[in-house]
DNA sequence: AACGCTTTCGGTAGCGTTTCCAGTATATTG
DNA sequence: CAATATACTGGAAACGCTACCGAAAGCGTT
């Protein structure tokens, strides 16, 4: 574990000043081709790698970004993971360090992240319509992007799935299959200001109006048990219900099991549409008809936006809204005319 | 985005030298109670947070660890994710930055990670029995720990699940339910030196000997399709097979579907045992009897070991082998005496 | 021959900490 | 009461790099 070579060693070996070496390291102009080669050889020979802490201290930048996913929220499924992988890949490629922070942060610790130069910018997940974190960061002018949206998004960089359209698509699909009684179990938090919940509800309500069907609605916590019980309850109360949409990702099996336990075969007697990543949808039996959740894409786009924002002083903030895509698999089927 | 306060500002405001402030920041002794309070007040008042890059440069430590998960290997499931979360939580709590690196690294870039002071130590995942990375790092004396094991582990810090015992447990469970023809689909790579595959195979072979049953064995890639086809093939070739164990985590549904497609109800006519995290096992229909894979625990233990190794000069390397636990759910049932 | 331009390079002052060493005042000891 | 230990504090040199500024050298222009 001998001490690694420093820029001084390289300079000495190449017979130049450290300034020149620094120029080459940072691809600055004003250096003769011959000198450049000599320095590169020296670097090679010494196995030199610049000391990142020193670089960052001198440059006044941390060259790293973080994703904040407060783990007290919904827990982890593959979906969150796909966000991280997407962001991580982009960051690494752009020469940024990627930090995943799952510990919930208060305002202080959030600001300290910037003040201590730990990160140049962050990606916020699980944002609420009226998110304190957003207010605090915006006020201080610290760079960040949101996965999700707030009520007021001007001047913010956001990326989000268009949940409203997603619900429309799902309803439309089921309606066209002949279903006229379509339930919807939403994530909890529509009242508390949780974006996906609210916007999904809007979409569902609009679809119901448009198709002239009666809403059958529940909000519940994301556990298998909750969804199981809720599905049972809905089936009891709404004997005509032949299909269901749920925003719950992992716990979705609860709905399938509840239906099957009633002797309702999915999809022949009961159709289910979810919102999941393609991989997750395939890992379920039966393979799920679902709005495809492009989590990895969203993660990488978010990282791209953030990094461009950091590098390009007059980068213009954008609010990206991804068009949802419905992938039809084996959990939806035409409604039987003579129902149950 | 005004410039954050520095240690000099704090020192000036408190009327002390920066040395004293530094002492307090690092909980060093030799500072009067009154002075400490005065400085703490100043820190509070200025919202001061030490500049991490500067701290690390001066201290010669990066205070960060990384997990290397080469994404070209098996892809991502919830399982990998749980590793990361476990490690990340421990790291954050210990004041370490946590870096997730999914880009595959060659020897050079791996070493550069240390040389450039980006990390103090790493956690290696997906290690092979004869892993180049291990050789390189060991030779240089760079700190690391393994999730998994090598052939020769003396002087290494490792943590691994006892796959051999795991297979014994699974077989035992099925045997005691009356199954006498038990298939096993393994991850690919037993020959190439992939630890889990090899050790599972050993366990399976031992169990077969012990219970006097005939091995029914396949190695395949971790995709749903592969597992589906393999299960079909096994059912064709081995009409007596009433149960199956698989090391494939996510794609496991392929086996379930294949059985169900044959009209074999799981578990009444066909039993399946997997190796999954508890959460994943519950997300499958039917809830899966499985060896519980304590991924999060393993991640956090690995991080703990690494950090202790970094902080404690004479820390003794340990090879931890976690005892597996079988959780019985609804995918296994007694073998029917009059089979198919 | 004097001037200015371009290209290429080096000197050096930071960046914000930690840490070693030396110093002062106070307390303890024989 | 001198001598020595003890508690506390400050000065200044690193840590390894970037970035500003200025200088030297080569070349064409007037």
């Amino acid at each position: 574990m001998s001490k690694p070579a420093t820029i001084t060693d390289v300079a000495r070996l190449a017979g130049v000043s450290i300034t020149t070496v620094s120029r080459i390291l940072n691809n600055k102009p004003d250096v003769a081709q011959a000198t450049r080669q000599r320095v590169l050889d020296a670097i090679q020979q010494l196995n030199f790698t610049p000391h990142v802490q020193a670089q960052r201290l001198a440059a006044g930048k941390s060259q790293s970004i973080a994703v904040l996913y407060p783990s007290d929220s919904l827990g982890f499924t593959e979906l969150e993971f796909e966000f991280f992988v997407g962001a991580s890949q982009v960051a690494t490629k752009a020469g940024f360090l990627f930090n995943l922070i799952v510990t919930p942060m208060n305002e202080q610790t959030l600001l300290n992240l910037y003040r201590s130069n730990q990160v140049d910018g962050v990606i916020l997940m699980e944002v609420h319509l009226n998110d304190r974190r957003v207010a605090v960061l915006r006020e201080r002018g610290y760079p960040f992007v949101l996965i999700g949206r707030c009520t007021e998004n001007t001047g913010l960089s956001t990326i989000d799935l268009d949940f409203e359209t997603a619900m429309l698509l799902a309803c439309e699909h089921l309606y066209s299959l002949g279903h006229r009684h379509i339930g919807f179990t939403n994530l909890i938090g529509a009242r508390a200001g949780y974006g996906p919940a609210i916007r999904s509800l809007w979409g569902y309500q609009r679809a119901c109006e448009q198709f002239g069907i009666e809403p059958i609605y529940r909000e519940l916590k994301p556990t298998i048990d909750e969804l199981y019980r809720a599905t049972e309850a809905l089936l009891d109360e709404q004997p005509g219900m032949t299909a269901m949409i749920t925003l719950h990702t992992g716990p979705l099996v609860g709905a399938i099991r509840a239906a099957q336990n009633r002797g309702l075969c999915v999809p022949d007697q009961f159709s289910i549409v979810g919102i999941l990543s393609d991989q997750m949808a395939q890992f379920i039996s039966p393979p799920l008809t679902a709005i495809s959740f492009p989590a990895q894409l969203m993660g990488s786009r978010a990282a791209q936006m953030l990094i461009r924002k950091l590098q390009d002083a007059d980068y213009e903030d954008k609010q990206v809204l991804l068009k949802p895509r419905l992938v039809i698999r084996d959990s939806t089927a035409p409604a039987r005319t003579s129902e149950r």
Side-chain angles (χ1 to χ4, degrees), chain A:
Chain A
M1 214 158 60
S2 57
K3 280 265 164 287
T6 75
I7 199 175
T8 316
D9 301 326
V10 175
R12 187 169 33 227
L13 180 61
V16 296
S17 73
I18 61 168
T19 308
T20 304
V21 179
S22 173
R23 278 199 193 90
I24 291 165
L25 289 178
N26 298 291
N27 286 315
K28 295 280 170 69
D30 289 350
V31 41
Q33 190 51 48
T35 327
R36 159 164 281 124
Q37 193 52 54
R38 204 145 34 89
V39 171
L40 287 178
D41 288 345
I43 289 177
Q44 179 88 35
Q45 192 178 330
L46 293 174
N47 261 326
F48 166 75
T49 315
H51 189 293
V52 288
Q53 321 289 352
Q55 274 187 314
R56 285 160 193 188
L57 172 59
K61 292 174 182 175
S62 72
Q63 283 286 331
S64 48
I65 64 175
V67 164
L68 299 197
Y69 179 84
S71 66
D72 58 352
S73 45
L74 301 178
F76 300 101
T77 67
E78 235 172 79
L79 212 58
E80 281 76 39
F81 190 34
E82 288 187 23
F83 281 115
F84 305 150
V85 172
S88 165
Q89 283 172 342
V90 168
T92 308
K93 208 169 297 170
F96 277 71
L97 236 58
F98 172 79
N99 294 115
L100 171 60
I101 303 184
V102 297
T103 324
M105 312 204 107
N106 57 31
E107 288 184 28
Q108 269 312 311
T109 44
L110 176 57
L111 287 174
N112 284 349
L113 229 48
Y114 289 90
R115 285 203 274 254
S116 65
N117 227 266
Q118 216 162 47
V119 301
D120 293 334
V122 303
I123 298 173
L124 294 182
M125 290 180 68
E126 299 295 320
V127 310
H128 282 236
L129 279 190
N130 229 316
D131 205 298
R132 281 297 298 151
R133 301 175 298 174
V134 173
V136 169
L137 291 183
R138 174 141 62 171
E139 186 184 328
R140 302 293 202 292
Y142 288 130
F144 65 98
V145 319
L146 304 180
I147 293 185
R149 278 177 295 166
C150 292
T151 316
E152 182 48 66
N153 296 290
T154 52
L156 297 183
S157 282
T158 68
I159 181 160
D160 199 8
L161 183 64
D162 184 347
F163 284 95
E164 210 169 332
T165 309
M167 288 302 293
L168 275 173
L169 277 179
C171 287
E172 190 178 55
H173 169 62
L174 290 171
Y175 187 85
S176 72
L177 285 173
H179 297 276
R180 293 297 176 267
H181 297 270
I182 303 170
F184 173 39
T185 61
N186 198 353
L187 291 173
I188 220 158
R191 266 147 313 178
Y194 182 57
I198 297 179
R199 291 189 289 270
S200 309
L201 181 52
W202 288 344
Y204 178 63
Q205 287 169 337
R206 261 183 55 198
C208 285
E209 275 179 43
Q210 186 173 325
F211 298 120
I213 61 182
E214 199 64 32
I216 308 172
Y217 181 71
R218 282 282 195 293
E219 280 184 23
L220 30 124
K221 280 185 288 198
T223 72
I224 298 182
D225 277 357
E226 285 280 326
L227 194 52
Y228 185 94
R229 278 198 293 272
T231 308
E232 276 195 322
L234 286 180
L235 286 169
D236 280 340
E237 297 166 22
Q238 305 279 343
M241 183 172 83
T242 59
M244 180 172 143
I245 305 169
T246 178
L247 215 64
H248 298 85
T249 53
L252 185 140
V253 279
I256 299 179
R257 284 185 204 152
Q260 285 172 341
N261 238 30
R262 289 282 166 117
L264 294 177
C265 188
V266 177
D268 293 339
Q269 290 150 301
F270 194 68
S271 290
I272 298 183
V273 177
I275 296 196
L276 293 176
S277 74
D278 288 332
Q279 169 154 305
M280 287 176 83
Q282 286 169 29
F283 280 1
I284 286 177
S285 298
L288 206 74
T289 296
I291 300 291
S292 154
F293 205 128
Q296 184 164 349
L297 177 69
M298 286 174 73
S300 56
R301 290 287 297 270
Q304 273 164 12
M305 293 171 79
L306 181 57
I307 289 175
R308 287 198 41 194
K309 207 169 156 157
L310 291 173
Q311 293 177 333
D312 188 357
D314 39 40
Y315 168 75
E316 275 197 36
D317 290 292
K318 268 198 298 253
Q319 290 86 42
V320 180
L321 204 55
L322 292 178
K323 285 269 152 291
R325 201 166 45 82
L326 178 78
V327 179
I328 299 175
R329 298 196 185 82
D330 306 336
S331 68
T332 51
R336 299 273 192 78
T337 38
S338 70
E339 223 35 76
R340 280 147 65 191

